[in-house]
Amino acid sequence: MKQILTYLIALLPLLSQAQIGGRNVYDFLNLSPSARASSLGGYNISTYDHDAVFAYQNPALLNDSMHQMVSMSFVDYLGGINYGYGSYAHSIEGIADFHAGVQFVGYGEMVEADILGNQIGTFGANDLALVVGAGCQADHFRIGANLKFINSSISGYQSNSALAFDLGGLYVSENGLFTAGMVFKNMGFNLGKWNSGVSTPLPFDIQLGFTNQLEHTPLRFSMVVHNLNRPNLIYFDKDAPTEFDLSGEPIENKFPFFDNLFRHVIFGTEFLLSKGFNLRAGYNHMRRQELRSLNRAGLSGFSFGVGLKIKHIRLDYGLASYHAIGPTHNFTVSTSIGSWLQ
């Protein structure tokens, strides 16, 4: 009976209706891996071109144009946190396209104190994910998979690990202007438990994405629908005091259907002005709603970026606005090893 009650209590968070934050471990896996992805709203699983970093978000995007592509991203994140992602892609003709990457997060130095609040030193915390993946083609369709070894550690205290994998698919139209992707992300299991003794789930997510470039124009539009496995992304505080209107009648909390609907959607736009110069913009409605202040929203939820190619090197910059707590700055440098050897 004790075991049954324990399992039921552990399942309660999965059945409740609340925001997705705090439900999972290793949420750093959802951080944007590159400046380009960051400027397009954080996710992009359907843009089919030379960008090997996109394979982290959907392994089906791997293709032979990424052969020997090396990329390195660094992000000046919030509150002194820094993270980055480095990757390499390689194609073997007639077999498949492969990539490998390392994602890391450093939370900086933090003050350590005892239960009475006395400072006794400092400590740090880090996250790490090692990623390998492969993709192959079948007519107008592509399929791919990623395998991730994940580790989180608090120096001097505890370190835990997990294994996860992604499964992705992609459809590419005959003229290449329209693509549609779908990915099942972060399926897996923990290799250990934290101090609570509860094996908290990984941040599993089902995403669907579309990208379309208008014919004879330099405009490319993308849309990603995320958290398809979590219909409700809005949190209602059941313990909040009841509000009353001017007549003294209690105000009923109505579910904002369209607000919840658009929290699942991220929009991105690219202006392909030339092969060496691109402008980008994105909008993430969930980020805007969760990080806006009560009185004004500012630019929270919006993101912007630019891409520049100088000979064999591609430089990308992305800015994502988090309103009052400030923006994040994402920088990516990428190049093809093969282009230097020609």
Side-chain angles (χ1 to χ4, degrees), residues 5-82:
L5 289 174
T6 301
Y7 290 142
L8 289 175
I9 293 172
L11 288 172
L12 284 177
L14 300 178
L15 301 174
S16 62
Q17 299 297 321
Q19 291 172 308
I20 59 175
R23 287 183 168 185
N24 311 297
V25 289
Y26 310 113
D27 270 321
F28 77 97
L29 296 172
N30 290 323
L31 293 174
S32 174
S34 71
R36 187 180 178 196
S38 179
S39 63
L40 294 174
Y43 295 134
N44 190 294
I45 64 168
S46 55
T47 297
Y48 183 68
D49 59 14
H50 59 274
D51 196 337
V53 183
F54 278 167
Y56 177 83
Q57 297 192 327
N58 184 359
L61 293 172
L62 282 165
N63 61 79
D64 56 9
S65 71
M66 303 173 181
H67 181 56
Q68 296 184 328
M69 184 67 69
V70 178
S71 298
M72 183 65 205
S73 298
F74 177 80
V75 184
D76 178 16
Y77 204 51
L78 308 168
I81 300 172
N82 296 309

Side-chain angles (χ1 to χ4, degrees), residues 127-142:
D127 291 324
L128 178 72
L130 305 178
V131 186
V132 293
C136 59
Q137 183 173 359
D139 294 327
H140 294 295
F141 295 90
R142 298 190 65 85

Side-chain angles (χ1 to χ4, degrees), residues 283-293 296-302 321 323:
Y283 176 69
N284 186 322
H285 186 68
M286 185 169 72
R287 182 186 297 166
R288 181 175 179 83
Q289 292 299 91
E290 292 187 348
L291 297 180
R292 61 180 296 172
S293 65
R296 55 191 295 266
L299 289 176
S300 57
F302 287 93
S321 176
H323 194 52

Side-chain angles (χ1 to χ4, degrees), residues 74-305:
F74 177 80
V75 184
D76 178 16
Y77 204 51
L78 308 168
I81 300 172
N82 296 309
Y83 78 87
Y85 180 72
S87 69
Y88 172 73
H90 195 91
S91 297
I92 301 178
E93 188 175 355
I95 298 180
D97 305 299
F98 302 90
H99 82 114
V102 179
Q103 185 180 24
F104 59 91
V105 183
Y107 295 93
E109 188 177 84
M110 293 169 277
V111 175
E112 182 178 3
D114 60 22
I115 59 175
L116 299 177
N118 300 312
Q119 296 185 12
I120 58 176
T122 60
F123 71 99
N126 300 277
D127 291 324
L128 178 72
L130 305 178
V131 186
V132 293
C136 59
Q137 183 173 359
D139 294 327
H140 294 295
F141 295 90
R142 298 190 65 85
I143 57 174
N146 284 334
L147 176 65
K148 304 174 184 176
F149 172 77
I150 310 157
N151 177 266
S152 289
S153 63
I154 302 174
S155 61
Y157 287 92
Q158 192 172 2
S159 175
N160 272 324
S161 302
L163 285 177
F165 61 96
D166 308 328
L167 292 178
L170 184 75
Y171 166 77
V172 183
S173 66
E174 190 169 349
N175 60 8
L177 297 179
F178 174 79
T179 53
M182 188 171 190
V183 62
F184 296 80
K185 301 179 65 175
N186 302 322
M187 298 179 288
F189 52 89
N190 292 283
L191 299 177
K193 297 179 181 180
W194 292 96
N195 289 330
S196 63
V198 177
S199 183
T200 310
L202 276 63
F204 174 61
D205 191 3
I206 301 176
Q207 297 179 356
L208 184 65
F210 306 93
T211 296
N212 186 52
Q213 181 174 345
L214 301 180
E215 195 171 5
H216 308 302
T217 71
L219 294 177
R220 178 189 289 160
F221 299 98
S222 297
M223 182 180 74
V224 177
V225 184
H226 59 94
N227 283 288
L228 289 172
N229 52 309
R230 297 186 187 277
N232 184 14
L233 297 180
I234 295 179
Y235 170 72
F236 285 107
D237 187 359
K238 297 179 181 180
D239 297 323
T242 304
E243 296 184 357
F244 299 88
D245 59 22
L246 295 177
S247 62
E249 295 295 326
I251 300 176
E252 180 183 357
N253 287 327
K254 295 183 179 180
F255 184 78
F257 174 80
F258 288 103
D259 179 17
N260 183 68
L261 176 66
F262 282 102
R263 288 184 187 224
H264 288 272
V265 184
I266 297 174
F267 299 97
T269 304
E270 292 187 278
F271 300 87
L272 311 175
L273 302 179
S274 70
K275 289 185 178 180
F277 183 65
N278 300 330
L279 296 176
R280 304 167 185 132
Y283 176 69
N284 186 322
H285 186 68
M286 185 169 72
R287 182 186 297 166
R288 181 175 179 83
Q289 292 299 91
E290 292 187 348
L291 297 180
R292 61 180 296 172
S293 65
L294 293 176
N295 298 322
R296 55 191 295 266
L299 289 176
S300 57
F302 287 93
S303 52
F304 309 92

